[in-house]
Amino acid sequence: LTPTQQADRLRILTRLESLVTLSDEERAAVLRLPVQTMDLPTDHEIASEGDTPSRCVALLDGLACSYKVTADGSRQIIAFHVPGDIPDLQGLQIGTMDNGLATLTPCRVGVIPHEALREVCHAHPRIADALWRETLKDAARFREWMVSVGRRKAFGRTAHLLCELVVRLRAVGLAKGDGCELPITQIELGDALGMSAVHVNRTLKELRSAGLVTHQHRTLVVHDWAALVEAGDFDPAYLHLPPPPVR
Amino acid sequence: LTPTQQADRLRILTRLESLVTLSDEERAAVLRLPVQTMDLPTDHEIASEGDTPSRCVALLDGLACSYKVTADGSRQIIAFHVPGDIPDLQGLQIGTMDNGLATLTPCRVGVIPHEALREVCHAHPRIADALWRETLKDAARFREWMVSVGRRKAFGRTAHLLCELVVRLRAVGLAKGDGCELPITQIELGDALGMSAVHVNRTLKELRSAGLVTHQHRTLVVHDWAALVEAGDFDPAYLHLPPPPVR
DNA sequence: CGAATACTTGATTACCTTCAATACGCGTGG
DNA sequence: CCACGCGTATTGAAGGTAATCAAGTATTCG
């Protein structure tokens, strides 16, 4: 194993250990998983709605998203994925994908056969618990997004999403200080927020002139975290992150 | 055990068997679960956001919903629950509830201690799989609702929700023919659809005059299923129901 | 049978979408 | 190295969808 491959496996293991405490044997079993790493370009479709995949994908580097498309062709992004996430874990238990999965930036992913995961889950139920919890955390984010899209207006909804992204990126070490790389277009933000790209632009302008955040040159800078949290009605509890989530 | 209690346990067992195939021993273990049944009135709050419950609730009769409330007091209903559902199953793996849970009609529920569920899951991993799948099906509904709320307008969004409710109620035997009891107020529909009750009213009127459905006297009647499906851009695949879902 | 809820409808307003046109930034190839 | 082209960002204007406010009617339930 190259050092990079070791680091990749460690990333997966670290994620699982944030969900349950593992024994040495369980740790070893995770590190023994057959992980085939791949590099994917921007806008690469990893899985499509209706697929019945036979492997899971662990995001090791880069940003990705899950989405669905309506009959009239408009897209709703359902989740953003950060390194450490396993975006199509549901495929392990539910046969067919009911959503698409695509990269937003160049990504490195680890591909793990369902069979291998099932064996590990069978041999080590606590690992199954960890994966189950991972899917439950996804569901918790879906719930909170529904509140945003359904009940918050553009300003608060956008603030809320930016809060979530900062906290999640910070949790995996990708946000240092008050900012982070966030190479997401306004079109993509709009598809996630359930609003038009034009209105995302106006809303970001509002957030900027209110002194809360700037999002320019693929970089997000938070100027007033407290005000952003207030504007977004953001309570990180739903993310169910380990100890003190931020700050 | 009274006949009613037997029927209640059977309802839970039937749900699990729709998710995985169980051996006789596993079936017996499920039927042996300590289930305490309770009758609850309308608008009873079963669990609140922030709770750390020590038992799960299985809905045996009646309708319930999960919801979240924003800082400004508006409510977003996140899911409707029909008999057979276990609405707070997430609490088994994730400690704290990030949403409230309340009855919409008088309900009978079965209360099962987490400890007992954990024992059964440990002894019979396939039962754990079934429960995991149940939470994944919840998540799939969340995803589809996000698409509705984010990308469909009132007419289609409402049609989509009514399609889902009819299919789910039919799957548990509560919709016969072209209609079903649906004692849900327009306020509740609005909170689920992310729209105002007034606009729900106007939209239902539109659906009625288009000859698709009527919702009066707590009863839903579908007059043109094909047109309703078309209007709602409804594809039942996301519900991951057993074989042929409808008809 | 009466009070409380829920439903219905109209008028007004707010928010957001769509359309359109321009400017910017970035990567490619001359 | 610069010109070109494409995707993204920005801004203005017009229009549409849905929210809010308000007032009256119907239903349900105690």
Side-chain angles (χ1 to χ4, degrees):
Chain A
L1 290 184
T2 69
T4 312
Q5 284 176 315
Q6 292 212 337
D8 287 346
R9 279 146 194 277
L10 208 57
R11 170 141 258 166
I12 298 170
L13 179 61
T14 305
R15 168 61 62 97
L16 295 184
E17 291 202 278
S18 76
L19 297 164
V20 295
T21 54
L22 295 179
S23 67
D24 288 348
E25 193 185 333
E26 289 162 339
R27 254 190 294 275
V30 172
L31 291 175
R32 228 182 295 121
L33 277 171
V35 181
Q36 183 198 341
T37 66
M38 299 173 57
D39 285 284
L40 303 174
T42 299
D43 289 331
H44 177 85
E45 185 151 331
I46 301 174
S48 307
E49 192 168 340
D51 281 2
T52 56
S54 57
R55 53 343 67 125
C56 279
V57 167
L59 185 57
L60 299 169
D61 197 39
L63 295 178
C65 72
S66 294
Y67 61 90
K68 294 187 125 188
V69 176
T70 63
D72 69 1
S74 60
R75 176 176 74 160
Q76 176 69 45
I77 291 179
I78 270 156
F80 288 120
H81 304 293
V82 304
D85 289 351
I86 309 178
D88 59 352
L89 189 51
Q90 26 151 332
L92 185 63
Q93 284 286 351
I94 293 194
T96 76
M97 295 289 291
D98 52 48
N99 58 261
L101 174 61
T103 62
L104 295 169
T105 68
C107 285
R108 189 168 71 260
V109 300
V111 178
I112 312 172
H114 280 176
E115 199 186 349
L117 277 172
R118 269 193 267 268
E119 278 170 21
V120 171
C121 285
H122 182 255
H124 306 286
R126 211 166 321 163
I127 295 178
D129 282 350
L131 296 178
W132 185 357
R133 286 184 194 187
E134 182 68 19
T135 63
L136 287 169
K137 282 175 51 176
D138 293 343
R141 288 204 310 277
F142 297 153
R143 288 191 287 269
E144 186 65 27
W145 278 38
M146 272 185 49
V147 176
S148 258
V149 177
R151 287 307 189 197
R152 291 194 250 264
K153 24 196 178 171
F155 192 81
R157 198 188 307 177
T158 307
H160 191 281
L161 175 60
L162 296 179
C163 285
E164 177 184 309
L165 287 172
V166 167
V167 168
R168 290 177 62 204
L169 288 171
R170 193 184 301 270
V172 295
L174 290 175
K176 342 103 203 146
D178 56 358
C180 56
E181 294 268 300
L182 193 65
I184 294 179
T185 69
Q186 294 178 354
I187 295 174
E188 288 154 354
L189 285 174
D191 283 348
L193 293 165
M195 42 198 267
S196 71
V198 171
H199 203 239
V200 169
N201 184 289
R202 293 193 226 274
T203 306
L204 286 175
K205 185 182 177 183
E206 262 188 275
L207 286 164
R208 200 184 320 137
S209 51
L212 301 191
V213 292
T214 51
H215 181 231
Q216 278 163 346
H217 310 294
R218 319 175 141 261
T219 303
L220 181 74
V221 179
V222 178
H223 298 112
D224 189 340
W225 176 252
L228 190 66
V229 165
E230 165 79 14
D233 181 23
F234 178 75
D235 175 355
Y238 74 95
L239 292 172
H240 298 284
L241 285 173
V246 184
R247 231 110 253 273
Chain B
L1 289 184
T2 70
T4 313
Q5 284 176 316
Q6 291 209 340
D8 288 345
R9 278 146 196 277
L10 208 57
R11 170 141 257 166
I12 297 171
L13 179 61
T14 305
R15 168 61 60 97
L16 295 184
E17 291 201 279
S18 76
L19 296 164
V20 295
T21 55
L22 296 179
S23 68
D24 289 347
E25 192 185 331
E26 289 161 339
R27 255 189 293 274
V30 171
L31 292 175
R32 228 183 294 122
L33 276 171
V35 180
Q36 184 198 342
T37 66
M38 299 174 57
D39 285 284
L40 303 175
T42 299
D43 288 331
H44 177 85
E45 184 151 332
I46 301 175
S48 309
E49 192 169 338
D51 281 2
T52 56
S54 59
R55 33 31 25 142
C56 280
V57 167
L59 185 57
L60 300 169
D61 196 41
L63 295 178
C65 73
S66 294
Y67 61 90
K68 294 188 126 187
V69 177
T70 62
D72 69 1
S74 60
R75 175 175 75 159
Q76 175 69 43
I77 290 180
I78 271 155
F80 288 119
H81 304 294
V82 303
D85 288 352
I86 309 178
D88 59 352
L89 190 51
Q90 25 150 333
L92 186 63
Q93 283 288 350
I94 293 194
T96 76
M97 296 288 291
D98 52 51
N99 58 259
L101 173 61
T103 61
L104 294 168
T105 68
C107 286
R108 188 167 73 263
V109 300
V111 178
I112 313 172
H114 280 176
E115 198 185 351
L117 277 171
R118 267 191 270 268
E119 277 170 21
V120 170
C121 284
H122 182 255
H124 307 286
R126 213 166 322 162
I127 295 178
D129 282 350
L131 296 178
W132 185 356
R133 284 184 195 187
E134 181 69 18
T135 64
L136 286 169
K137 282 175 53 176
D138 293 342
R141 288 203 310 275
F142 298 152
R143 288 192 286 270
E144 187 65 27
W145 278 37
M146 272 186 48
V147 176
S148 258
V149 177
R151 287 307 188 196
R152 292 194 250 263
K153 22 194 176 172
F155 191 81
R157 199 189 307 177
T158 307
H160 191 282
L161 176 60
L162 295 179
C163 286
E164 178 185 308
L165 287 172
V166 167
V167 169
R168 290 176 62 203
L169 288 171
R170 191 182 302 268
V172 294
L174 290 175
K176 342 101 203 153
D178 57 357
C180 56
E181 293 269 298
L182 194 65
I184 294 180
T185 69
Q186 294 179 355
I187 294 173
E188 288 154 354
L189 284 174
D191 283 348
L193 293 165
M195 43 199 265
S196 70
V198 170
H199 203 238
V200 169
N201 184 289
R202 293 194 226 273
T203 306
L204 286 176
K205 184 182 179 183
E206 263 188 273
L207 286 164
R208 197 183 323 136
S209 52
L212 302 191
V213 293
T214 51
H215 181 232
Q216 278 162 346
H217 309 296
R218 318 175 142 262
T219 302
L220 181 75
V221 178
V222 178
H223 297 112
D224 188 341
W225 175 253
L228 190 66
V229 165
E230 165 79 14
D233 180 26
F234 179 75
D235 175 355
Y238 74 95
L239 293 172
H240 298 284
L241 285 174
V246 184
R247 231 109 252 272

